[in-house]
Amino acid sequence: YGEFTKGLNRSKNAKIKVKTKKLKFHNDALGRYLSLLIYRADGKYDDARIDLRKLKSAWKTQAQIYDFAPPNTDTFLNNNGKAKIDFLAFTGNSPYKKAKTLYIHTLENTVIIANSAQSGQGESTLNDIDSFNWKGITPDLHFKFQLPYLYVTKSKVKQIRVKVDGKDMGKMQMLESINNVAKATYKVKEPIIYVKTITRTILKGLTSHNAKAEMDKKISNPLLAAAAKFATDIAVDSTENADLRIARFFPAFAYIAEIEVNPGVHDIEVEFYGKNNTLLFVEEYAQVDLQVGGLNLIKSYYLQ
């Protein structure tokens, strides 16, 4: 996005400068966790140790994304002859886009971006949220447009517990907020969407404004002129709806746990609980053969 914004700002048609935002996300705990398990299963403990160290550092270097307590991973590299079972569970749904409507008002060489609100007397008031210079623009123009924003959903799941052979082995710990990752990455391209949408809206609005002025000159029948201008307004408005397309394949949160058991065949349950300790869902894994070494990974999903 850095090179892309530089290109936009260098354009001879650029009216508004795009401010580039830096993405402070370069170390993914979920990726480190999976890599750690693979290296450990292959007996590459030095590589696994590096991933574990980087996994822990994510909380120190990216606090805006990892704003929850880190999971306890101190025993992940221990080897005491028992079979390790690793659990990875996903819950919730990733954010989706909603549209918000904003308004453009112009002064001489100035563009004002505002929210719409209603005063106590029912009169329309506008709250200025941004303004910038636009050389040559005429005053008293009014356009509306839509911008997308990320709407973050909440998960029904409040805790996840693990059972082995009917015995409660404790609860899983959050490893990743995929919601936080989605918000952080979206913030990088948000200024680009903002500037491009405003620029398109103003240019289309100016075209519409000029077209309506010509209609007043050419169409003598006031009803026909009004109908033509109304159709022009509809055409402009319909092209500036927010783009709400987004991938909806991701969960919201990832949880992990690791427990040690004697090698052999075991029955495993993963229980998802909601408010007031209400059991929402149980995923059962019967007669799982667990051995020392290798990868004993149990994956569960409750995307609510």
Side-chain angles (χ1 to χ4, degrees), residues 156-158 272-275 278-282 302 304:
K156 294 180 180 179
V157 177
K158 303 306 175 186
F272 296 81
Y273 289 88
K275 287 183 179 179
T278 303
L279 182 62
L280 301 174
F281 177 68
V282 179
Y302 184 68
Q304 297 291 329

Side-chain angles (χ1 to χ4, degrees), residues 26-56:
H26 52 82
N27 183 19
D28 179 51
L30 178 57
R32 295 295 181 190
Y33 168 77
L34 295 172
S35 180
L36 159 66
L37 295 186
I38 293 169
Y39 279 132
R40 190 183 67 183
D42 287 340
K44 298 179 180 179
Y45 276 82
D46 285 341
D47 293 314
R49 191 173 292 106
I50 292 170
D51 273 321
L52 180 57
R53 184 175 71 246
K54 291 184 177 180
L55 186 155
K56 291 181 177 180

Side-chain angles (χ1 to χ4, degrees), residues 79-270:
N79 187 356
N80 57 8
K82 288 195 171 184
K84 291 179 178 288
I85 319 173
D86 288 283
F87 295 87
L88 177 59
F90 295 99
T91 67
N93 289 289
S94 58
Y96 62 92
K97 289 180 183 177
K98 282 189 172 184
K100 58 182 175 184
T101 300
L102 297 174
Y103 295 83
I104 293 173
H105 303 273
T106 65
L107 304 174
E108 189 73 33
N109 296 322
T110 302
V111 171
I112 297 173
I113 311 299
N115 280 318
S116 179
Q118 291 293 325
S119 69
Q121 291 76 31
E123 299 173 351
S124 178
T125 60
L126 291 164
N127 301 317
D128 180 2
I129 61 173
D130 196 6
S131 62
F132 44 84
N133 293 329
W134 186 296
K135 187 177 179 181
I137 198 162
T138 56
D140 299 323
L141 299 176
H142 309 280
F143 314 121
K144 75 173 183 178
F145 66 102
Q146 287 187 329
L147 281 175
Y149 69 95
L150 283 190
Y151 180 77
V152 179
T153 60
K154 295 182 179 180
S155 173
K156 294 180 180 179
V157 177
K158 303 306 175 186
Q159 68 168 313
I160 309 170
R161 303 194 72 85
V162 173
K163 284 184 178 180
V164 177
D165 298 327
K167 181 181 178 181
D168 189 296
M169 305 299 289
K171 66 180 182 179
M172 300 180 68
Q173 304 172 87
M174 189 188 296
L175 174 71
E176 188 91 276
S177 170
I178 300 170
N179 279 348
N180 286 355
V181 174
K183 287 189 294 183
T185 52
Y186 185 72
K187 284 291 182 183
V188 179
K189 60 181 178 181
E190 201 169 38
I192 300 172
I193 297 171
Y194 180 68
V195 168
K196 289 179 70 176
T197 303
I198 290 172
T199 302
R200 281 199 310 270
T201 301
I202 292 174
L203 293 177
K204 289 178 181 178
L206 288 173
T207 301
S208 171
H209 176 75
N210 294 334
K212 288 190 288 185
E214 287 298 315
M215 290 174 194
D216 284 333
K217 295 177 183 178
K218 295 180 178 180
I219 303 176
S220 58
N221 187 315
L223 288 177
L224 290 178
K229 288 189 284 185
F230 179 67
T232 302
D233 287 338
I234 290 176
V236 172
D237 285 346
S238 66
T239 61
E240 287 311 321
N241 293 326
D243 183 357
L244 303 183
R245 293 173 297 176
I246 190 171
R248 294 300 309 276
F249 309 111
F250 297 104
F253 305 102
Y255 292 80
I256 62 169
E258 181 174 274
I259 61 174
E260 295 179 339
V261 298
N262 292 323
V265 176
H266 298 272
D267 292 326
I268 297 172
E269 295 173 84
V270 180

